[in-house]
Amino acid sequence: MSTRNSLFYRIMAWLGIAVFAILIVSLIAWIVQALTDDIPSNTIVELNLERPVLEKKPIDPVGQALTGDAIDIRTIADALAGAKEDDRVSGLLVRIGANTMTQGQAEELREAVMNFRESGKPAYIYAETFGQVADATISYYLATAFDRIYMQPHGDFNVIGMRSEHIFLGGFLDQYGIETEYDHRHEYKSAKDIITGTGFTEAFREAETAVLESRFDHLITGISDGRNLTYDEARELVDDGPWFGSQTVEAGLVDDLLFRDELFDLMREETGEDAEFFYLEKYYEEAGTTWDRGEHIALIKGDGSIVSGESHYNPLTMQAIMGSETITRAFRSAVEDEVD
């Protein structure tokens, strides 16, 4: 055997030993982690909603890189459902700011919070500022599901209602002599108007106004219920916005103005000085899901525009794409798994 071949085999042997050692260490670490309960006996689950909220975390590397530390609705809802029944959890603290979610997402999180509150454990929400220069109406709607709302003393309250904006390309295309040929089915199908029009048609404005009024009415109803106000009182408070932070307590919009460390101290006073704050993702990772008992129901998530092929995340539009192949494969899998 030549010296070169001997060196090669020695290197491969050392690499094999190194890989084996890494696998052994990883296995030991996994066993230790599995056997060790890292959740403190007096835990306050903490969640930061100032970051983006997603319907579903992308599974492809590009989508994961682009969404960063965003959290998905299902993780939050599942974690809160588990925390409700967990004797180690003594409370919930959520941080929020400007709108980071859709109204539908806020609705689902609101229901998850209300479900958690049935345990009798305190659920508080904190904002350094509700929106500052951005709108925070949907964030505040979610906040009214909590036992108490706190804000930093120098924060602002930028809850100002809802609006709808559209860009119409007709004038731009005319300016450059671009001719378009589009048609649509009846007057309320508005996609063509955005491409060829220069403003709202009567039907487009009517439809858009109806949707806004319906959504706004739902928000006001939720705010009035959460803050023990009449519908008219809640509507007037939002219509009069934005507010200075110093005005919000007297108006009944928030419960008190505190700095964040003061709120930590307050929660420890109420739940015990030994209380430890534990981020929701870490809690969910350690505690697991409550869905491993009882009958199994398949949940097939469809998110984004519907296209042929596989589901993926579009890096240009920053939106999920729902692929026909992925969705139909999920249905077939549900049949094969014989879920209830």
Side-chain angles (χ1 to χ4, degrees):
M1 180 182 294
S2 68
T3 304
R4 180 179 299 176
N5 286 340
S6 177
L7 178 62
F8 171 78
Y9 285 117
R10 284 201 298 269
I11 292 174
M12 294 302 296
W14 279 110
L15 285 175
I17 294 172
V19 170
F20 181 75
I22 292 173
L23 289 175
I24 292 296
V25 171
S26 300
L27 179 61
I28 293 173
W30 180 84
I31 293 174
V32 170
Q33 183 177 8
L35 296 176
T36 303
D37 186 1
D38 288 334
I39 301 175
S41 59
N42 186 4
T43 294
I44 298 174
V45 175
E46 187 178 0
L47 171 63
N48 179 11
L49 287 179
E50 287 190 324
R51 56 186 164 159
V53 176
L54 303 176
E55 286 292 324
K56 179 182 178 182
K57 288 282 283 185
I59 59 175
D60 59 287
V62 174
Q64 291 176 352
L66 290 174
T67 53
D69 66 343
I71 190 169
D72 64 287
I73 295 287
R74 193 75 264 148
T75 296
I76 300 173
D78 285 357
L80 292 185
K84 173 187 176 183
E85 309 293 340
D86 194 337
D87 292 337
R88 297 167 297 184
V89 175
S90 55
L92 171 66
L93 176 61
V94 173
R95 182 177 176 181
I96 203 165
N99 296 338
T100 59
M101 66 196 80
T102 66
Q103 187 170 342
Q105 292 170 336
E107 188 72 34
E108 190 165 355
L109 292 185
R110 205 172 193 276
E111 291 181 5
V113 172
M114 298 294 286
N115 178 58
F116 173 84
R117 286 180 58 189
E118 292 177 359
S119 66
K121 302 170 185 177
Y124 300 161
I125 194 165
Y126 173 78
E128 289 186 355
T129 181
F130 273 103
Q132 201 162 5
V133 296
D135 182 28
T137 303
I138 292 176
S139 291
Y140 183 67
Y141 168 71
L142 172 58
T144 57
F146 287 75
D147 291 298
R148 297 183 200 167
I149 303 173
Y150 293 96
M151 189 167 67
Q152 190 247 128
H154 304 295
D156 294 321
F157 191 83
N158 200 30
V159 176
I160 54 177
M162 308 188 77
R163 71 171 188 262
S164 177
E165 295 180 357
H166 288 283
I167 295 175
F168 294 92
L169 299 176
F172 170 80
L173 298 178
D174 291 342
Q175 181 178 350
Y176 289 95
I178 300 174
E179 296 183 6
T180 58
E181 292 185 3
Y182 278 91
D183 199 2
H184 58 181
R185 186 184 295 271
H186 301 299
E187 68 274 21
Y188 291 104
K189 303 293 283 185
S190 54
K192 168 181 173 290
D193 299 326
I194 294 173
I195 301 295
T196 62
T198 57
F200 283 100
T201 63
E202 184 176 342
F204 193 178
R205 185 179 295 278
E206 177 190 349
E208 201 75 5
T209 301
V211 170
L212 276 179
E213 288 179 347
S214 176
R215 292 175 58 199
F216 187 57
D217 176 75
H218 188 75
L219 291 178
I220 296 299
T221 299
I223 291 172
S224 64
D225 291 342
R227 300 303 295 172
N228 294 318
L229 301 168
T230 66
Y231 178 92
D232 290 337
E233 288 172 337
R235 174 75 185 248
E236 184 177 357
L237 288 171
V238 174
D239 285 344
D240 288 345
W243 295 73
F244 291 115
S246 57
Q247 301 172 308
T248 56
V249 176
E250 184 176 351
L253 294 166
V254 305
D255 292 285
D256 204 355
L257 303 179
L258 296 175
F259 289 104
R260 193 177 177 193
D261 60 327
E262 294 177 315
L263 181 53
F264 286 164
D265 292 340
L266 174 64
M267 292 202 75
R268 286 195 175 99
E269 288 177 10
E270 296 182 356
T271 61
E273 293 299 326
D274 63 335
E276 297 185 40
F277 291 86
F278 215 65
Y279 275 112
L280 180 137
E281 297 96 312
K282 180 65 174 175
Y283 169 77
Y284 186 60
E285 179 183 323
E286 296 291 339
T289 178
T290 60
W291 300 113
D292 56 358
R293 55 182 186 266
E295 295 182 342
H296 287 180
I297 299 174
L299 174 63
I300 298 172
K301 198 81 171 179
D303 182 25
S305 302
I306 303 173
V307 300
S308 298
E310 301 290 338
S311 297
H312 61 279
Y313 191 82
N314 189 326
L316 296 179
T317 62
M318 299 288 283
Q319 292 179 337
I321 302 297
M322 191 192 328
S324 59
E325 292 293 331
T326 304
I327 299 298
T328 54
R329 186 164 58 246
F331 276 102
R332 290 194 299 271
S333 177
V335 172
E336 293 167 1
D337 289 343
E338 297 181 352
V339 295
D340 299 301

